[in-house]
Every structure is written in structure tokens, then in C-alpha cells.
Amino acid sequence: AASMSVELSQTERAYQKQAGIFQGKKTKGKTPRYYKNVGLGFKTPKEAIEGKYIDDKCPFVGNVSIRGRILKGTVRSAKMNRTIIVRRDYLHYIAKYNRFEKRHSNTPAHLSPAFRVLEGDNVVIGECRPLSKTVRYNVLRVESASAGAK
């Protein structure tokens, strides 16, 4: 029974396992799972605690700490594997005309398998170490724009 729960997350070529969790236990029962509280008032999702996924870049079950900036934005694209594009709209003041102009910035963020996201959803992202060439943020909370469950 213990080996079956491990096999569910084996979709990559390399063997996927959580660091610090011994998988050779001979007794039957629920396999242990490493998860943590990221702090700053963000709750650990139930899927991160009870789920079977393995993601080293997830802030709840992986080796990533959230520090620095916390940003809010709207999901613009969710087509990549475990990565989304978050659009942030803001106003920039033009002193000469005493007016504001609309601007936006697109920020790529890592999306943990604990979350289900659709385009248009509002998300909260937190800064972490560089996860790839462009990704420096991690999704911490999803406030779905649609009426569906997150």
C-alpha cells in the first residue's frame, strides 16, 4: 500500500520523492508527508497536506522560502507546466499633465499542484529565490474570480 501512493506522483523521468522522508518503512499505514507553514498569515492548502504530488519548488511541501515582496494580480496565462503569468495593473503619474496613465507588468510565478487556477482568477504571489530563468515568485493564495471552487 505504501508503494502505491508513491507511484501516483511518478510522472517524470527521475524518481520523485520528498527529501527527509524515508520510504523504505516496512510497517503498513499512511506514508508520512513533509509540509510546512510558509508564515505571513497564509494557510497551508488541504491538498498540500493530504495530496500525493511532489514539487520541490512548492512553498508548502518543497525547498522554497517566501521572503521579500507580496504581490496581487490576475492570472493572464495558465498554459505552462506549473507556471502562470500574473498581470499587475497600476497607475503611473505624469507630473507635466497632472494625470495618471495606465501601465501593467507581467510576472511569471510558479503554481503549486495544490492550487487549481483559471485565467481571470486573482492570485497572491510571494517572492522567493530564483526558480528558473524568469520565475522568482510563488503562488500563495487563489481568490477565484469565477463562482467555482478553487
Side-chain angles (χ1 to χ4, degrees):
S3 62
M4 283 245 317
S5 64
V6 172
E7 288 175 24
L8 293 175
S9 60
Q10 300 303 326
T11 56
E12 308 295 325
R13 290 180 67 173
Y15 184 71
Q16 301 292 308
K17 68 184 185 72
Q18 284 192 309
I21 300 291
F22 179 63
Q23 294 180 324
K25 193 172 171 190
K26 291 183 171 71
T27 58
K28 300 235 189 296
K30 191 174 168 226
T31 55
R33 181 166 175 80
Y34 170 79
Y35 64 91
K36 67 181 179 189
N37 178 9
V38 297
L40 303 168
F42 292 100
K43 287 202 172 105
T44 304
K46 197 172 284 185
E47 179 64 25
I49 299 168
E50 299 168 0
K52 301 275 190 259
Y53 74 90
I54 290 171
D55 183 8
D56 197 38
K57 297 176 181 178
C58 171
F60 305 105
V61 300
N63 181 24
V64 174
S65 61
I66 302 298
R67 78 285 191 284
R69 295 176 181 267
I70 305 291
L71 307 173
K72 285 184 181 177
T74 308
V75 177
R76 181 143 176 258
S77 167
K79 296 174 184 169
M80 288 179 278
N81 182 26
R82 294 187 179 180
T83 305
I84 61 171
I85 299 293
V86 178
R87 179 182 168 122
R88 297 180 49 243
D89 295 313
Y90 58 94
L91 296 173
H92 178 247
Y93 181 67
I94 308 295
K96 179 180 177 183
Y97 299 110
N98 197 22
R99 281 169 171 74
F100 292 90
E101 68 180 3
K102 280 187 178 178
R103 288 190 178 182
H104 81 274
S105 64
N106 291 332
T107 307
H110 181 78
L111 180 70
S112 165
F115 297 114
R116 299 281 172 263
V117 165
L118 298 169
E119 288 182 22
D121 288 355
N122 292 319
V123 293
V124 177
I125 58 176
E127 190 181 2
C128 58
R129 64 177 169 83
L131 302 175
S132 71
K133 179 183 170 184
T134 57
V135 178
R136 275 106 177 97
Y137 288 87
N138 234 309
V139 175
L140 298 175
R141 187 188 304 137
V142 177
E143 292 137 7
S144 60
S146 59
K150 51 179 169 180

